[in-house]
Amino acid sequence: MIISITLGLLAALCWGIHDICVRYVSQRTGIFPAIFSVLTFGALILAPLCLYFGNWEDLTGSAIGYSIVSGTFFTLASVGLYKAFAIGPVCLVAPIVGSYPILSVGLVIWHGGTISLIQMLAVLTIITGIAIVAQADKKSSTDDRNYAIFWAICSAIGFFSSFAFGQSAAALGAELPVIWLTRLAGILALSCCAVPWRVNLRPKREQIVILAAMGLLDAVALAAVIYAGSQDFSVFASVTASIFGLVTIILAWLFLNEKMTIVQWIGIFIVFAAIAILTIK
């Protein structure tokens, strides 16, 4: 159990730092070059692991199809994430992006399943906590806040869809090949959008180091969560990893001087406590 929790905390720390870098990068360079670079560096870092240790013989046509869909949604989610963090504030955006487990509950209901009272209360608590944070944000204009919420919701939907299709692909076998193909599909999807819109995907030279670091952080976090699946009590890795948004908020408070009120802190902790409950249930 300690190993699973440690791996989950490592993933949360990596993703939390990654997202605070998103806040920095999204305000200084183009969104598309930044996403393209992070996906590319991540794919290059994961390539030796996935190509050498991946059980490619188990890869099926259905898994490839699901991987392509997953990668496409991941790109769309990343666009929403970068746009939302560019507008900010982090304390509003991060809880919304991290609340994508709510959609998992909705999917269960859609397929005729039942949810427990605890899950229903957790969903309502997440919504309540986000509302508390949004109402406590007095510095952002209404339009800015609404745009940030819109893109954060788009990102949450994208990540949910990406993870859902990615997990479906991995369930068919060949987990490591699926991870790598998903990233390649994301790069391809972004490139297909960039060509007709004539978007330059080349990042600024001074941003390459931080973009490479973001790709490394994302790759390490993903590898930690995947490796935790082979450990006892792997569910605890998923729960602890889901608090990455809280790490981002704390880093924004420490290093970006984002002012936080007591009410906002209460709302934020309510959200992530409920997300942890929803994930483990």
Side-chain angles (χ1 to χ4, degrees), residues 21 25-26 46 79 84 99-100 141 144 191 199 207 222 229 270 273 277:
C21 292
V25 168
S26 62
L46 289 172
V79 171
S99 65
Y100 60 82
S141 69
D144 287 345
S191 301
V199 175
Q207 296 289 335
L222 189 61
I270 286 175
I277 293 172

Side-chain angles (χ1 to χ4, degrees), residues 147-220:
Y147 279 125
I149 291 173
F150 170 77
W151 285 113
I153 291 174
C154 289
S155 180
I157 294 173
F159 282 127
F160 160 74
S161 302
S162 176
F163 295 157
F165 280 101
Q167 289 174 354
S168 296
L172 298 174
E175 295 86 351
L176 289 177
V178 163
I179 293 169
W180 201 56
L181 288 177
T182 297
R183 285 193 171 270
L184 294 182
I187 295 171
L188 179 61
L190 192 64
S191 301
C192 290
C193 293
V195 170
W197 292 342
R198 298 181 179 179
V199 175
N200 183 11
L201 295 178
R202 183 180 300 175
K204 295 179 180 179
R205 184 175 300 178
E206 61 270 19
Q207 296 289 335
I208 291 179
V209 173
I210 189 171
L211 291 171
M214 290 168 66
L216 175 62
L217 288 167
D218 190 38
V220 170

Side-chain angles (χ1 to χ4, degrees), residues 13 16-17 20 246-257:
L13 180 62
I17 297 174
I20 205 66
L246 182 58
V247 176
T248 306
I249 291 169
I250 293 174
L251 291 175
W253 173 62
L254 288 173
F255 298 109
L256 298 183
N257 295 321

Side-chain angles (χ1 to χ4, degrees), residues 1 9 14 54 61 67 99 101-102 113 118 132 146 149 185 200 213 245 258:
M1 181 172 68
L9 289 174
C14 289
S67 299
S99 65
I102 291 178
I118 292 178
I132 291 173
N146 289 341
I149 291 173
N200 183 11
E258 283 205 0

